Amino acid sequence: EKDDDTNCHMDFITAASNLRAENYSIPPADRHKSKLIAGKIIPAIATTTAVVSGLVCLHLYNIVQGQKTIKRFRNGFINLALPFFAFSEPLAAKKNLYHDIEWTVWDSFKVHGRKPNGDEMTLQEFLDHFKREHKLDVSIVTHGNALLLAAFWDEEKQRQHLTQRMTELVRSVTKNEIPSHVKVLKFEIDCSTDDADMGRPPVHYWIS
């Protein structure tokens, strides 16, 4: 109930929507603007959104019960104008291999960028980590559209990048600052190994 200021509904909606907006770089909205927006979507809340919310809650039962079998979950297709309701079993994620280790799009390499002494690792130490922990010879490192390392570069350019700390390198190459709320950077890697065509999981690099 958006018009009752004693139930804290709008306080919750404002806080939750602004947190989500922050994730997607959408300008935040104050309580007054959020109340105006909520007033215009009452019909949607009472129809499709209510149905979708109910289906999400049904899946929460599976999660709470610890269900792991994909057959217990369903994709839902809904059109209230027809009306049309259809459900299908979701497809399992494609499985890939590297060094006989199985992975899917849901997996990632997790790298903690801070060393025990508090210093951040350099690009060279980043490469050494993958060589030591995963037996991978990383030849290409990218961050979004930014190329941070490539084996085909000349030695001087590689040397300049290898000595930089990871966050410094991202700032230098992208020409952008890393937002203060960002705790994890995502990198993609390619390797000079026989099975390189199989790809690798993305790297989630923890800044702090």
Side-chain angles (χ1 to χ4, degrees), residues 5-29:
D5 291 334
T6 66
N7 58 22
C8 299
H9 287 186
M10 282 312 305
D11 295 319
F12 173 79
I13 292 296
T14 302
S17 61
N18 282 335
L19 287 173
R20 186 168 178 82
E22 181 72 20
N23 290 335
Y24 296 95
S25 300
I26 299 172

Side-chain angles (χ1 to χ4, degrees), residues 12 71 89 93 99 103 111 114 153 159-160 178 198:
F12 173 79
K71 292 182 179 180
E89 183 179 316
H99 294 340
W103 66 278
V111 178
R114 294 290 174 183
W153 286 350
R159 191 180 305 110
Q160 291 175 359
I178 300 172
M198 295 300 293

Side-chain angles (χ1 to χ4, degrees), residues 127 137-142 147 149-152 188-192:
L127 304 183
D137 293 313
V138 177
S139 57
I140 294 177
V141 181
T142 61
L147 185 60
L149 177 72
F152 53 79
E188 299 287 346
I189 61 173
D190 199 1
C191 305
S192 55

